[in-house]
Amino acid sequence: MAARSELTRLEAFLDAFADRLLPRAPAGIREFLAFGIKQAWACLFGGLMLIAIIGTSWLYPEGAALAGNDFLVILAVIIQIGMLAARLETGRELVVIIVFHIVGTGMEIFKSAVGSWNYAPGGFLHIGAVPLFTGFMYAAVGSYLVRVYRLFDLSFTHYPPRWLTAVIAAAIYLNFFTHHFIIDLRLLLVVLTVVVFFRCRMHFSVHRTTLSMPVLLAFVLVAFFIWLAENIGTAAGAWLYPSQDDGWHLVPLTKLVAWFLLMMISVVLVTFVHKPKPPETETPEAHG
């Protein structure tokens, strides 16, 4: 069960409701349902963005006065304002989400300029060839991470010093740009990430049970689901890779490396809001 002090008012209400409802189910089913519900709730922003992208692709009229990309920007802003108005995100979390937006948009501007991927033209709400809704896709990752931290009351054993993780994250972000001009260091950066986080375990509270898993496994799992979302986005035509210009196909699995490294950057950004804490039963370690 998440720490009540960390939950928003609505989340505390839902948590109390689950306390009354879930005990009627067998223990295994109870924990499975609680895990699924919490994960779905944490994915709310990202899920709504995917629905908006798919709905715009399928239903938005061609030749409308307002371009589809601009419509997506407006929808994304409405979703974000709605989550704040409903107090589904805290002020501190909003700061991290804005940082995700800025970091993601900066990379999008560069990557689209060098031809890594491209967006449908049209509209006014864009920077260069990049529609402004793209920053909200990165913000969705930030929203998920800060919400899952609260909902599952995350704690860590053997978490590496934050300064070290920040240095590696900065190198990863820089490499996303520099590998177009000099040697690509992504595999070295993957190795460094694995070495630094190899002993680290994440502890998470489901409902009545606290479980743990290697942090690196969590990185891989989230990267995989981002890859799935990316396939939905490209299938809907929100953006395309050059190899998809002649016909859509699955995004290569090799992109998982990029999303794994993105998870490293994302986690580091979140630790500036939620400092990694040890489990309550553990003697606190130095977390940087």
Side-chain angles (χ1 to χ4, degrees):
M1 186 183 303
R4 290 289 174 87
S5 61
E6 294 288 332
L7 300 178
T8 65
R9 184 178 300 176
L10 177 57
E11 289 166 353
F13 170 80
L14 294 174
D15 200 50
F17 179 77
D19 281 343
R20 294 192 299 270
L21 182 65
L22 291 180
R24 302 175 185 176
I29 295 177
R30 180 184 66 223
E31 298 301 315
F32 176 78
L33 289 174
F35 181 83
I37 292 169
K38 286 185 174 184
Q39 284 289 344
W41 189 246
C43 292
L44 181 61
F45 188 95
L48 291 174
M49 280 298 300
L50 275 180
I51 291 171
I53 288 171
I54 295 170
T56 302
S57 172
W58 288 356
L59 304 175
Y60 198 73
E62 293 185 17
L66 181 68
N69 286 343
D70 289 351
F71 181 68
L72 275 174
V73 176
I74 294 171
L75 283 180
V77 172
I78 291 172
I79 292 169
Q80 183 65 81
I81 292 174
M83 293 190 68
L84 287 171
R87 298 184 179 180
L88 301 182
E89 291 169 347
T90 67
R92 285 197 310 165
E93 292 169 356
L94 178 62
V95 172
V96 174
I97 291 168
I98 291 173
V99 172
F100 270 84
H101 200 300
I102 295 170
V103 168
T105 300
M107 187 165 67
E108 287 286 328
I109 293 169
F110 175 82
K111 288 289 191 177
S112 61
V114 298
S116 295
W117 51 77
N118 57 79
Y119 293 91
F124 298 97
L125 302 177
H126 58 83
I127 300 176
V130 179
L132 293 183
F133 78 82
T134 61
F136 288 95
M137 296 188 297
Y138 291 87
V141 176
S143 175
Y144 168 78
L145 290 176
V146 294
R147 286 161 64 79
V148 86
Y149 197 105
R150 282 190 294 103
L151 294 171
F152 287 91
D153 193 24
L154 298 187
S155 58
F156 303 86
T157 50
H158 304 295
Y159 195 91
R162 281 192 298 169
W163 68 264
L164 179 57
T165 64
V167 169
I168 296 174
I172 290 170
Y173 188 69
L174 186 63
N175 187 71
F176 279 136
F177 297 86
T178 59
H179 82 85
H180 290 279
F181 310 108
I182 57 177
I183 187 171
D184 188 353
L185 299 176
R186 76 181 67 189
L187 293 182
L188 173 61
L189 292 167
V190 168
V191 171
L192 286 175
T193 302
V194 170
V195 169
V196 168
F197 278 94
F198 186 75
R199 297 177 62 219
C200 183
R201 294 189 69 85
M202 178 178 71
H203 303 259
F204 54 99
S205 174
V206 182
H207 183 62
R208 299 285 177 82
T209 304
T210 298
L211 304 174
S212 70
M213 66 187 298
V215 165
L216 290 172
L217 177 58
F219 283 13
V220 171
L221 289 174
V222 177
F224 175 73
F225 282 102
I226 294 175
W227 177 80
L228 289 179
E230 184 178 35
N231 277 286
I232 294 172
T234 55
W239 69 95
L240 291 172
Y241 288 96
S243 63
Q244 296 173 319
D245 286 341
D246 295 327
W248 182 85
H249 57 77
L250 285 175
V251 175
L253 279 170
T254 52
K255 287 292 293 181
L256 283 172
V257 175
W259 297 127
F260 176 86
L261 292 174
L262 176 68
M263 281 306 303
M264 176 64 178
I265 297 173
S266 302
V267 168
V268 168
L269 289 176
V270 172
T271 60
F272 288 104
V273 169
H274 295 291
K275 183 178 180 180
K277 62 181 181 180
E280 293 182 358
T281 57
E282 178 190 322
T283 302
E285 302 178 34
H287 285 265

